Amino acid sequence: MTRPSTPSYTPQEAAILAGVRLQRVQNAITNRQFGRTFVLAGKGQRRIDLSAVLTFAAQKQLGKVRIEPKLLYEALRKVGFPRGLVAITDAVTIDAPVLLGPTLRNIEIYDAARKRIVSDPAVMGGLPVVKGTRIPAHTLHARVMAGENIKAILKEYPYLDQEAIESAVLFIEANPPRGRPHRRNASVNG
């Protein structure tokens, strides 16, 4: 997979990719925890750079080991997409692939999802679908979340690959439907 030159993410996307709560990301933005790493994009939407996403993930993985977030951020920013050891200070070095492996994989899958999951009003009423198909990303997400095996899904859709399914799942996780959830009919037990 190829990496975009300057990826940026919404707070919701950053939280999902880093495996942290959205509130943690929002607080970091409000408190300018990493300095001016958060910028406004179109429609006033806040965007977070790759290094900030990786910093959230590293802090989560390090647990009780505390490293100044700004130091961690600056070191990750210098290397871009880390593929080896990253020197945080003269005395602290992290093995980024070991520490951040799942997050790095999620970022690669999600960046691919941005190209593979598309919305077109002429296709399925604008629902996000796998590019070149009429398969809604929500359908693939729901099946995986229900515990269905990816191999079973691939047998039903042989023209998809595992990356397409993983992309759909991660895309839906990072881009939940807007608005209130549908109201279910309440049943009264007598």
Side-chain angles (χ1 to χ4, degrees):
M1 287 182 231
T2 59
R3 302 272 323 126
S5 58
T6 56
S8 66
Y9 307 92
T10 65
Q12 176 71 32
E13 291 168 337
I16 293 297
L17 294 172
V20 298
R21 294 181 58 218
L22 178 58
Q23 188 62 49
R24 164 78 181 91
V25 176
Q26 298 288 17
N27 287 345
I29 292 170
T30 302
N31 299 333
R32 294 185 178 230
Q33 188 173 8
F34 309 131
R36 291 194 45 85
T37 60
F38 309 105
V39 297
L40 291 178
K43 300 180 186 175
Q45 190 177 43
R46 297 185 283 188
R47 304 292 291 185
I48 298 166
D49 67 8
L50 171 67
S51 301
V53 174
L54 295 173
T55 300
F56 290 125
Q59 286 179 308
K60 178 184 177 199
Q61 291 297 93
L62 289 170
K64 292 184 180 184
V65 176
R66 297 290 173 212
I67 297 175
E68 179 64 35
K70 193 162 184 152
L71 286 174
L72 191 55
Y73 171 78
E74 290 297 332
L76 288 167
R77 197 177 99 205
K78 285 178 187 172
V79 298
F81 195 80
R83 302 208 184 272
L85 298 176
V86 177
I88 307 302
T89 66
D90 292 338
V92 178
T93 300
I94 62 170
D95 187 345
V98 172
L99 184 68
L100 301 171
T103 301
L104 295 171
R105 177 155 163 56
N106 280 348
I107 289 168
E108 286 179 333
I109 291 169
Y110 189 72
D111 288 346
R114 287 178 163 175
K115 295 175 186 141
R116 293 190 81 167
I117 307 301
V118 297
S119 294
D120 180 350
V123 178
M124 300 293 291
L127 286 175
V129 298
V130 177
K131 188 175 185 175
T133 73
R134 295 178 59 82
I135 302 169
H138 290 281
T139 299
L140 298 172
H141 176 264
R143 291 177 71 173
V144 170
M145 291 299 109
E148 194 167 343
N149 186 314
I150 289 180
K151 289 181 182 178
I153 298 170
L154 289 173
K155 282 183 184 177
E156 191 172 330
Y157 301 110
Y159 40 87
L160 294 182
D161 57 18
Q162 183 169 338
E163 185 182 292
I165 295 171
E166 291 174 343
S167 293
V169 170
L170 198 53
F171 184 86
I172 296 303
E173 294 274 324
N175 297 283
R178 299 289 181 222
R180 293 183 180 187
H182 290 287
R183 192 173 191 174
R184 294 185 182 192
N185 292 335
S187 63
V188 179
N189 294 330

